[in-house]
Amino acid sequence: MAVGSLSQVVTRGMCTGCGVCASLGADQGIRMQMTTEGFLRPRIPEILASDREQALLAICPGSVVQSHPEQDLEAPLHKSFGRFHRIVRGHATDPQLRYVAATGGVLSGLALYLLERGLVDGVLQVALDETQPLHNVVRMSRDREDVLAAGGSRYGPAAPLVNIDYYLDTGECFAFIGKPCDVAALRNLANHDPRVNQQIPYMLAMFCGAVPSWLSTRNIVHRFGVQETEVETFRYRGHGWPGPTHVRSHSGEIHEQSYDQTWFSEMRYSLMFRCAICADGIGESADIAAGDYWHMVDGKPTHAEAIDGWNFCMARSRAGAALLDGAAEAGFLHLEPIEVASLDAMHDDHALRKRSVLWRLLGLWLTRQPTTRFKGLRVWACGLGGASMREACLGFFGMLARVIRRRNRELARPAD
Protein backbone atom coordinates (compact mmCIF):
# COMPACT_ATOMS: atom_id res chain seq x y z
CA MET A 1 0.00 0.00 0.00
CA ALA A 2 1.34 3.42 -0.93
CA VAL A 3 1.16 6.05 1.77
CA GLY A 4 -1.91 8.23 1.40
CA SER A 5 -1.07 11.31 3.44
CA LEU A 6 1.79 13.12 5.11
CA SER A 7 0.36 12.23 8.51
CA GLN A 8 0.44 8.57 7.52
CA VAL A 9 4.07 8.93 6.42
CA VAL A 10 4.88 10.06 9.97
CA THR A 11 2.63 7.87 12.09
CA ARG A 12 3.40 4.66 10.15
CA GLY A 13 7.15 5.07 10.40
CA MET A 14 7.94 6.06 6.81
CA CYS A 15 9.32 9.54 7.56
CA THR A 16 13.08 10.12 7.12
CA GLY A 17 13.01 13.53 8.82
CA CYS A 18 14.61 15.32 5.85
CA GLY A 19 12.49 18.46 6.29
CA VAL A 20 11.61 19.03 2.63
CA CYS A 21 7.88 19.12 3.42
CA ALA A 22 8.42 21.77 6.10
CA SER A 23 10.33 23.94 3.63
CA LEU A 24 7.84 23.65 0.78
CA GLY A 25 4.79 23.57 3.05
CA ALA A 26 5.73 26.37 5.45
CA ASP A 27 2.84 28.47 4.18
CA GLN A 28 0.53 25.57 5.08
CA GLY A 29 1.80 25.55 8.67
CA ILE A 30 4.11 22.51 8.43
CA ARG A 31 6.95 22.73 10.95
CA MET A 32 9.69 20.34 12.07
CA GLN A 33 9.73 19.34 15.74
CA MET A 34 11.64 16.96 17.98
CA THR A 35 9.33 14.18 19.15
CA THR A 36 9.21 12.12 22.33
CA GLU A 37 10.76 9.25 20.34
CA GLY A 38 13.80 11.45 19.69
CA PHE A 39 13.31 12.11 15.96
CA LEU A 40 12.69 15.24 13.92
CA ARG A 41 9.24 15.01 12.39
CA PRO A 42 6.92 17.45 10.60
CA ARG A 43 3.97 18.76 12.52
CA ILE A 44 1.13 18.43 10.02
CA PRO A 45 -1.82 20.82 10.40
CA GLU A 46 -5.25 19.24 10.63
CA ILE A 47 -6.39 21.10 7.53
CA LEU A 48 -4.02 20.80 4.58
CA ALA A 49 -4.93 21.61 0.98
CA SER A 50 -5.33 18.29 -0.85
CA ASP A 51 -3.49 19.36 -3.98
CA ARG A 52 -0.55 20.65 -1.93
CA GLU A 53 -0.41 17.46 0.10
CA GLN A 54 -0.29 15.30 -3.03
CA ALA A 55 2.46 17.51 -4.45
CA LEU A 56 4.47 17.10 -1.25
CA LEU A 57 3.94 13.33 -1.25
CA ALA A 58 5.43 13.16 -4.75
CA ILE A 59 8.62 14.69 -3.32
CA CYS A 60 8.70 12.96 0.08
CA PRO A 61 11.33 10.16 0.34
CA GLY A 62 9.03 8.45 2.81
CA SER A 63 6.63 8.06 -0.10
CA VAL A 64 8.93 7.34 -3.05
CA VAL A 65 12.66 6.82 -3.69
CA GLN A 66 14.17 6.43 -7.16
CA SER A 67 17.59 5.72 -8.64
CA HIS A 68 19.60 8.51 -10.27
CA PRO A 69 17.42 9.89 -13.10
CA GLU A 70 20.43 10.33 -15.42
CA GLN A 71 22.16 7.02 -14.81
CA ASP A 72 24.11 5.73 -17.80
CA LEU A 73 22.75 2.25 -18.44
CA GLU A 74 26.09 1.32 -20.00
CA ALA A 75 27.89 1.95 -16.70
CA PRO A 76 28.87 -1.18 -14.74
CA LEU A 77 26.12 -2.58 -12.52
CA HIS A 78 26.75 -4.36 -9.24
CA LYS A 79 23.63 -6.10 -7.97
CA SER A 80 24.07 -4.86 -4.39
CA PHE A 81 25.92 -1.57 -4.87
CA GLY A 82 24.31 -0.30 -8.07
CA ARG A 83 25.69 1.47 -11.11
CA PHE A 84 28.89 3.49 -11.08
CA HIS A 85 31.31 5.09 -13.53
CA ARG A 86 34.31 4.94 -11.24
CA ILE A 87 35.15 3.30 -7.94
CA VAL A 88 38.26 4.31 -6.01
CA ARG A 89 39.63 4.51 -2.52
CA GLY A 90 41.18 7.71 -1.28
CA HIS A 91 41.47 10.48 1.25
CA ALA A 92 41.76 14.25 1.51
CA THR A 93 45.31 15.49 1.02
CA ASP A 94 44.78 18.19 3.66
CA PRO A 95 45.97 16.34 6.79
CA GLN A 96 43.70 18.32 9.12
CA LEU A 97 40.61 17.58 7.03
CA ARG A 98 41.55 13.91 6.93
CA TYR A 99 42.06 13.74 10.69
CA VAL A 100 38.92 15.63 11.69
CA ALA A 101 36.64 13.90 9.19
CA ALA A 102 34.69 10.76 10.01
CA THR A 103 36.71 8.67 7.55
CA GLY A 104 39.28 9.84 5.03
CA GLY A 105 37.75 13.24 4.46
CA VAL A 106 36.89 12.70 0.79
CA LEU A 107 33.53 14.47 0.99
CA SER A 108 35.15 17.33 2.93
CA GLY A 109 37.95 17.47 0.36
CA LEU A 110 35.41 17.65 -2.45
CA ALA A 111 33.55 20.43 -0.63
CA LEU A 112 36.79 22.40 -0.21
CA TYR A 113 37.74 21.89 -3.86
CA LEU A 114 34.34 23.14 -5.05
CA LEU A 115 34.54 26.22 -2.82
CA GLU A 116 38.16 27.19 -3.39
CA ARG A 117 37.94 26.75 -7.17
CA GLY A 118 34.74 28.81 -7.29
CA LEU A 119 32.66 26.00 -8.78
CA VAL A 120 29.88 26.65 -6.25
CA ASP A 121 28.91 29.50 -3.96
CA GLY A 122 28.42 27.20 -0.97
CA VAL A 123 27.99 23.64 0.25
CA LEU A 124 24.79 22.79 2.11
CA GLN A 125 25.53 20.25 4.86
CA VAL A 126 24.86 19.23 8.45
CA ALA A 127 27.14 20.40 11.26
CA LEU A 128 27.36 20.50 15.03
CA ASP A 129 25.04 22.96 16.77
CA GLU A 130 27.58 25.03 18.68
CA THR A 131 24.94 26.27 21.13
CA GLN A 132 23.57 22.74 21.77
CA PRO A 133 26.41 20.25 21.17
CA LEU A 134 24.11 17.20 21.30
CA HIS A 135 22.10 18.49 18.35
CA ASN A 136 22.69 19.19 14.67
CA VAL A 137 22.15 22.24 12.49
CA VAL A 138 21.99 22.75 8.74
CA ARG A 139 24.47 25.28 7.39
CA MET A 140 25.83 26.62 4.13
CA SER A 141 29.59 26.21 4.25
CA ARG A 142 31.50 29.01 2.54
CA ASP A 143 35.16 28.35 3.31
CA ARG A 144 37.69 25.91 4.77
CA GLU A 145 36.80 26.73 8.37
CA ASP A 146 33.14 25.98 7.72
CA VAL A 147 34.03 22.66 6.08
CA LEU A 148 36.28 21.74 9.00
CA ALA A 149 33.53 22.60 11.48
CA ALA A 150 31.14 20.28 9.65
CA GLY A 151 33.61 17.35 9.63
CA GLY A 152 32.92 14.12 11.47
CA SER A 153 29.79 12.02 11.76
CA ARG A 154 26.55 13.52 13.07
CA TYR A 155 24.64 10.39 13.99
CA GLY A 156 21.18 11.46 15.01
CA PRO A 157 18.29 13.53 13.68
CA ALA A 158 18.92 16.33 11.21
CA ALA A 159 16.65 17.99 8.64
CA PRO A 160 19.07 19.10 5.91
CA LEU A 161 16.30 20.21 3.52
CA VAL A 162 14.28 22.22 6.02
CA ASN A 163 15.29 25.49 4.31
CA ILE A 164 15.83 24.21 0.77
CA ASP A 165 13.23 26.54 -0.75
CA TYR A 166 14.97 29.53 0.85
CA TYR A 167 18.37 28.52 -0.53
CA LEU A 168 16.92 27.97 -4.00
CA ASP A 169 15.29 31.40 -3.80
CA THR A 170 18.72 32.99 -3.33
CA GLY A 171 19.70 32.00 -6.85
CA GLU A 172 23.05 30.71 -5.59
CA CYS A 173 24.81 27.68 -7.03
CA PHE A 174 25.60 25.16 -4.30
CA ALA A 175 26.51 21.53 -3.69
CA PHE A 176 24.68 19.28 -1.26
CA ILE A 177 26.08 16.67 1.13
CA GLY A 178 23.64 14.43 3.00
CA LYS A 179 22.21 10.98 3.54
CA PRO A 180 20.99 8.94 0.57
CA CYS A 181 17.35 9.60 1.49
CA ASP A 182 18.03 13.36 1.57
CA VAL A 183 19.51 13.18 -1.93
CA ALA A 184 16.50 11.11 -3.04
CA ALA A 185 14.22 13.91 -1.81
CA LEU A 186 16.22 16.45 -3.85
CA ARG A 187 15.95 14.25 -6.95
CA ASN A 188 12.19 14.03 -6.44
CA LEU A 189 12.03 17.80 -6.02
CA ALA A 190 13.99 18.27 -9.26
CA ASN A 191 11.12 16.61 -11.12
CA HIS A 192 8.88 19.51 -10.06
CA ASP A 193 11.26 22.44 -9.61
CA PRO A 194 13.81 23.20 -12.38
CA ARG A 195 15.88 25.31 -9.98
CA VAL A 196 17.25 22.15 -8.37
CA ASN A 197 19.18 20.98 -11.44
CA GLN A 198 20.10 24.54 -12.36
CA GLN A 199 21.50 25.48 -8.94
CA ILE A 200 22.67 22.19 -7.39
CA PRO A 201 25.22 20.69 -9.82
CA TYR A 202 26.55 18.13 -7.33
CA MET A 203 24.74 15.93 -4.82
CA LEU A 204 27.03 13.89 -2.58
CA ALA A 205 26.04 11.18 -0.11
CA MET A 206 27.66 8.99 2.49
CA PHE A 207 26.87 5.30 2.89
CA CYS A 208 24.29 5.28 5.69
CA GLY A 209 23.87 2.53 8.28
CA ALA A 210 20.67 4.00 9.75
CA VAL A 211 19.54 7.03 11.76
CA PRO A 212 19.39 6.63 15.55
CA SER A 213 17.16 8.51 17.93
CA TRP A 214 18.50 11.59 19.70
CA LEU A 215 17.68 9.71 22.91
CA SER A 216 20.72 7.50 22.23
CA THR A 217 22.95 10.56 22.28
CA ARG A 218 21.40 11.72 25.53
CA ASN A 219 21.75 8.26 27.07
CA ILE A 220 25.46 8.07 26.22
CA VAL A 221 26.06 11.38 27.95
CA HIS A 222 23.98 10.39 30.99
CA ARG A 223 25.81 7.08 31.30
CA PHE A 224 29.02 9.06 31.72
CA GLY A 225 27.33 10.97 34.54
CA VAL A 226 27.06 14.19 32.52
CA GLN A 227 23.90 16.24 31.97
CA GLU A 228 23.04 17.77 28.59
CA THR A 229 23.59 21.31 29.85
CA GLU A 230 27.10 20.38 31.04
CA VAL A 231 28.35 19.26 27.61
CA GLU A 232 30.86 21.51 25.89
CA THR A 233 31.90 19.15 23.06
CA PHE A 234 30.29 16.01 21.70
CA ARG A 235 31.31 14.01 18.66
CA TYR A 236 30.60 10.50 17.47
CA ARG A 237 33.56 10.03 15.14
CA GLY A 238 36.54 11.84 13.68
CA HIS A 239 39.87 12.99 15.14
CA GLY A 240 41.24 9.65 14.04
CA TRP A 241 39.62 6.73 12.23
CA PRO A 242 36.95 5.86 13.07
CA GLY A 243 37.61 8.00 16.14
CA PRO A 244 36.06 7.48 19.58
CA THR A 245 32.77 8.87 20.75
CA HIS A 246 33.97 11.88 22.71
CA VAL A 247 32.27 13.89 25.46
CA ARG A 248 33.88 16.90 27.11
CA SER A 249 32.12 18.81 29.88
CA HIS A 250 32.43 22.51 30.64
CA SER A 251 34.50 21.52 33.69
CA GLY A 252 37.07 19.84 31.41
CA GLU A 253 36.06 16.25 32.21
CA ILE A 254 36.52 13.94 29.19
CA HIS A 255 34.78 10.63 28.49
CA GLU A 256 35.31 8.37 25.47
CA GLN A 257 34.18 5.03 24.14
CA SER A 258 34.93 3.07 20.98
CA TYR A 259 33.01 3.05 17.72
CA ASP A 260 31.88 -0.54 18.36
CA GLN A 261 30.70 0.30 21.87
CA THR A 262 28.64 3.16 20.52
CA TRP A 263 27.09 1.37 17.56
CA PHE A 264 26.58 -2.11 18.89
CA SER A 265 25.81 -1.33 22.52
CA GLU A 266 23.90 1.94 22.19
CA MET A 267 22.67 2.92 18.73
CA ARG A 268 21.35 -0.27 17.19
CA TYR A 269 18.38 -0.37 19.57
CA SER A 270 17.07 3.11 18.71
CA LEU A 271 17.16 3.22 14.90
CA MET A 272 14.33 4.65 12.81
CA PHE A 273 11.83 2.09 11.57
CA ARG A 274 12.08 3.60 8.08
CA CYS A 275 15.73 2.52 7.96
CA ALA A 276 14.67 -1.13 8.32
CA ILE A 277 13.01 -1.04 4.89
CA CYS A 278 15.52 1.25 3.18
CA ALA A 279 16.50 0.05 -0.30
CA ASP A 280 19.11 2.75 -0.74
CA GLY A 281 21.56 3.22 2.10
CA ILE A 282 24.28 3.42 -0.55
CA GLY A 283 23.46 6.68 -2.32
CA GLU A 284 22.30 5.40 -5.70
CA SER A 285 20.71 8.74 -6.58
CA ALA A 286 23.84 10.75 -5.66
CA ASP A 287 26.56 11.88 -8.04
CA ILE A 288 29.16 10.48 -5.62
CA ALA A 289 28.62 8.11 -2.71
CA ALA A 290 31.38 7.53 -0.15
CA GLY A 291 31.93 5.25 2.81
CA ASP A 292 34.61 3.68 5.00
CA TYR A 293 37.30 1.62 3.31
CA TRP A 294 37.78 -0.55 6.38
CA HIS A 295 40.87 -2.60 7.20
CA MET A 296 40.11 -6.30 6.74
CA VAL A 297 41.25 -9.03 9.14
CA ASP A 298 40.46 -12.68 8.32
CA GLY A 299 37.98 -11.52 5.69
CA LYS A 300 36.04 -9.23 8.01
CA PRO A 301 36.18 -5.47 8.54
CA THR A 302 37.85 -4.25 11.71
CA HIS A 303 37.11 -0.95 13.40
CA ALA A 304 40.42 -0.77 15.25
CA GLU A 305 41.61 2.81 15.70
CA ALA A 306 43.93 4.32 13.10
CA ILE A 307 45.21 7.85 12.61
CA ASP A 308 44.80 8.04 8.85
CA GLY A 309 41.38 7.18 7.43
CA TRP A 310 40.44 5.89 3.99
CA ASN A 311 37.24 6.30 2.01
CA PHE A 312 35.98 4.41 -0.96
CA CYS A 313 34.03 6.49 -3.48
CA MET A 314 31.57 5.48 -6.17
CA ALA A 315 30.98 8.04 -8.91
CA ARG A 316 27.40 7.30 -9.91
CA SER A 317 27.12 9.89 -12.69
CA ARG A 318 29.45 11.32 -15.31
CA ALA A 319 29.38 14.61 -13.40
CA GLY A 320 30.49 12.76 -10.27
CA ALA A 321 33.35 11.04 -12.11
CA ALA A 322 34.51 14.37 -13.54
CA LEU A 323 34.35 15.94 -10.07
CA LEU A 324 36.54 13.19 -8.59
CA ASP A 325 39.05 13.57 -11.42
CA GLY A 326 39.13 17.35 -11.06
CA ALA A 327 39.65 17.27 -7.29
CA ALA A 328 42.45 14.71 -7.64
CA GLU A 329 44.20 16.61 -10.44
CA ALA A 330 43.99 19.81 -8.39
CA GLY A 331 45.64 18.06 -5.44
CA PHE A 332 42.67 18.05 -3.05
CA LEU A 333 42.27 14.26 -3.07
CA HIS A 334 44.57 11.25 -3.25
CA LEU A 335 42.80 8.45 -5.14
CA GLU A 336 43.67 4.84 -5.97
CA PRO A 337 41.71 2.41 -8.16
CA ILE A 338 39.99 -0.55 -6.51
CA GLU A 339 37.65 -3.34 -7.59
CA VAL A 340 34.02 -3.29 -6.51
CA ALA A 341 34.45 -6.88 -5.33
CA SER A 342 36.51 -5.56 -2.41
CA LEU A 343 33.29 -4.09 -0.97
CA ASP A 344 31.42 -7.40 -0.89
CA ALA A 345 32.79 -8.46 2.50
CA MET A 346 33.75 -4.99 3.69
CA HIS A 347 30.16 -3.72 3.44
CA ASP A 348 28.11 -6.90 3.50
CA ASP A 349 25.77 -5.16 5.97
CA HIS A 350 24.60 -2.96 3.09
CA ALA A 351 24.41 -5.92 0.73
CA LEU A 352 22.39 -7.85 3.34
CA ARG A 353 19.95 -4.96 3.66
CA LYS A 354 19.56 -4.91 -0.12
CA ARG A 355 18.89 -8.64 -0.17
CA SER A 356 16.43 -8.45 2.74
CA VAL A 357 14.35 -5.39 1.93
CA LEU A 358 11.97 -7.22 -0.43
CA TRP A 359 11.06 -9.71 2.30
CA ARG A 360 10.57 -6.95 4.85
CA LEU A 361 8.35 -5.07 2.44
CA LEU A 362 6.35 -8.26 1.83
CA GLY A 363 5.77 -8.46 5.57
CA LEU A 364 4.32 -4.95 5.45
CA TRP A 365 2.28 -5.65 2.33
CA LEU A 366 0.79 -8.82 3.82
CA THR A 367 -0.42 -6.88 6.86
CA ARG A 368 -1.68 -4.05 4.62
CA GLN A 369 0.69 -1.48 6.08
CA PRO A 370 1.69 1.54 3.96
CA THR A 371 5.19 1.36 2.50
CA THR A 372 7.67 3.53 0.64
CA ARG A 373 7.82 2.84 -3.10
CA PHE A 374 11.32 2.08 -4.42
CA LYS A 375 11.88 2.51 -8.15
CA GLY A 376 14.87 1.31 -10.15
CA LEU A 377 16.67 -0.04 -7.08
CA ARG A 378 16.57 -3.79 -7.89
CA VAL A 379 14.46 -4.70 -4.85
CA TRP A 380 12.98 -7.77 -6.55
CA ALA A 381 16.22 -8.86 -8.23
CA CYS A 382 18.22 -8.68 -4.99
CA GLY A 383 15.51 -10.28 -2.89
CA LEU A 384 14.73 -13.18 -5.21
CA GLY A 385 18.16 -13.63 -6.73
CA GLY A 386 20.41 -12.92 -3.77
CA ALA A 387 18.78 -13.62 -0.41
CA SER A 388 19.27 -17.01 1.21
CA MET A 389 16.29 -18.82 2.68
CA ARG A 390 17.45 -17.82 6.14
CA GLU A 391 17.78 -14.15 5.18
CA ALA A 392 14.36 -14.15 3.53
CA CYS A 393 12.70 -15.75 6.55
CA LEU A 394 14.41 -13.42 9.01
CA GLY A 395 13.38 -10.40 6.94
CA PHE A 396 9.78 -11.51 6.44
CA PHE A 397 8.95 -12.91 9.86
CA GLY A 398 10.98 -10.24 11.61
CA MET A 399 8.85 -7.59 9.94
CA LEU A 400 5.65 -9.42 10.86
CA ALA A 401 6.81 -9.39 14.49
CA ARG A 402 7.51 -5.65 14.31
CA VAL A 403 4.08 -4.92 12.91
CA ILE A 404 2.37 -7.07 15.54
CA ARG A 405 4.27 -5.18 18.22
CA ARG A 406 3.39 -1.91 16.46
CA ARG A 407 7.06 -1.03 16.04
CA ASN A 408 6.18 0.72 12.78
CA ARG A 409 4.07 3.30 14.62
CA GLU A 410 5.23 6.69 15.86
CA LEU A 411 3.29 8.89 18.22
CA ALA A 412 5.11 11.96 16.86
CA ARG A 413 4.28 13.93 19.98
CA PRO A 414 6.46 17.01 20.55
CA ALA A 415 9.21 16.58 23.13
CA ASP A 416 9.12 18.81 26.19
Side-chain angles (χ1 to χ4, degrees):
M1 293 176 62
V3 291
S5 68
L6 289 176
S7 292
Q8 194 175 58
V9 169
V10 175
T11 60
R12 296 302 181 91
M14 298 295 111
C15 182
T16 68
C18 71
V20 68
C21 62
S23 179
L24 304 179
D27 62 328
Q28 298 284 306
I30 301 176
R31 300 288 186 273
M32 297 301 288
Q33 63 184 16
M34 184 68 74
T35 69
T36 53
E37 288 103 333
F39 296 111
L40 284 171
R41 295 290 181 257
R43 180 181 61 80
I44 311 298
E46 292 184 7
I47 299 177
L48 184 62
S50 177
D51 58 335
R52 290 295 300 280
E53 183 166 29
Q54 292 306 308
L56 291 173
L57 281 173
I59 297 165
C60 171
S63 175
V64 59
V65 172
Q66 306 179 60
S67 59
H68 196 304
E70 298 180 0
Q71 274 192 345
D72 184 350
L73 297 182
E74 295 182 359
L77 172 66
H78 187 281
K79 182 180 287 187
S80 297
F81 298 111
R83 292 194 183 276
F84 59 93
H85 283 275
R86 284 193 65 196
I87 180 168
V88 295
R89 74 168 192 159
H91 58 78
T93 55
D94 183 318
Q96 188 176 14
L97 273 186
R98 187 181 185 185
Y99 178 70
V100 168
T103 312
V106 162
L107 295 181
S108 296
L110 288 170
L112 189 61
Y113 166 68
L114 289 169
L115 289 170
E116 294 198 350
R117 292 305 167 97
L119 300 176
V120 296
D121 299 310
V123 177
L124 188 62
Q125 59 187 145
V126 175
L128 169 73
D129 186 338
E130 295 179 356
T131 63
Q132 301 180 83
L134 301 187
H135 294 270
N136 302 319
V137 294
V138 184
R139 65 188 301 172
M140 185 70 78
S141 294
R142 305 286 185 179
D143 53 31
R144 182 176 182 276
E145 292 308 309
D146 288 343
V147 172
L148 270 174
S153 292
R154 302 306 306 165
Y155 297 130
L161 302 180
V162 70
N163 293 314
I164 190 63
D165 196 45
Y166 163 79
Y167 286 117
L168 290 171
D169 276 344
T170 67
E172 288 190 313
C173 174
F174 58 95
F176 176 79
I177 300 177
K179 302 186 302 301
C181 52
D182 303 325
V183 174
L186 271 183
R187 295 295 184 194
N188 290 342
L189 180 58
N191 293 330
H192 305 272
D193 189 336
R195 297 178 301 171
V196 175
N197 288 333
Q198 293 167 4
Q199 294 175 231
I200 312 178
Y202 303 107
M203 301 182 193
L204 314 180
M206 67 287 294
F207 267 39
C208 178
V211 178
S213 164
W214 175 80
L215 300 181
S216 288
T217 304
R218 186 196 64 182
N219 292 342
I220 290 172
V221 170
H222 284 183
R223 193 164 54 77
F224 289 137
V226 180
Q227 298 301 309
E228 297 98 295
T229 55
E230 298 173 330
V231 177
E232 180 181 77
T233 303
F234 182 91
R235 62 175 180 263
Y236 273 112
R237 289 184 58 181
H239 291 249
W241 181 46
T245 298
H246 174 94
V247 180
R248 178 187 175 91
S249 70
H250 288 293
S251 64
E253 191 176 354
I254 293 177
H255 303 275
E256 292 186 340
Q257 66 181 26
S258 71
Y259 173 87
D260 283 347
Q261 285 176 307
T262 295
W263 260 107
F264 301 113
S265 299
E266 304 276 359
M267 312 291 276
R268 64 186 301 182
Y269 301 108
S270 66
L271 303 179
M272 285 200 307
F273 175 81
R274 169 64 172 73
C275 300
I277 61 161
C278 180
D280 184 26
I282 56 178
E284 293 201 44
S285 57
D287 292 299
I288 295 174
D292 288 276
Y293 194 79
W294 296 116
H295 293 302
M296 302 294 287
V297 176
D298 297 328
K300 295 182 179 180
T302 175
H303 306 140
E305 285 295 329
I307 297 298
D308 298 324
W310 285 86
N311 283 108
F312 73 86
C313 303
M314 304 185 81
R316 303 287 192 184
S317 66
R318 294 187 185 278
L323 176 59
L324 276 180
D325 289 342
E329 290 171 6
F332 285 79
L333 298 181
H334 169 81
L335 301 177
E336 300 176 2
I338 59 171
E339 297 294 329
V340 68
S342 65
L343 302 184
D344 288 338
M346 188 180 298
H347 286 278
D348 185 60
D349 53 334
H350 286 286
L352 173 60
R353 183 188 300 183
K354 201 78 167 183
R355 296 191 298 268
S356 301
V357 68
L358 170 66
W359 305 102
R360 293 175 177 177
L361 289 172
L362 286 174
L364 288 176
W365 291 334
L366 181 66
T367 53
R368 299 190 60 78
Q369 301 298 307
T371 63
T372 304
R373 291 173 295 149
F374 297 102
K375 299 181 178 181
L377 294 170
R378 306 174 310 288
V379 170
W380 285 91
C382 292
L384 294 176
S388 67
M389 181 64 71
R390 181 177 183 274
E391 290 169 345
C393 288
L394 285 174
F396 179 73
F397 290 108
M399 183 54 67
L400 289 183
R402 292 184 193 208
V403 172
I404 291 171
R405 296 172 185 168
R406 300 175 67 85
R407 296 284 177 84
N408 64 324
R409 305 298 180 94
E410 289 190 22
L411 296 176
R413 293 172 179 165
D416 295 335

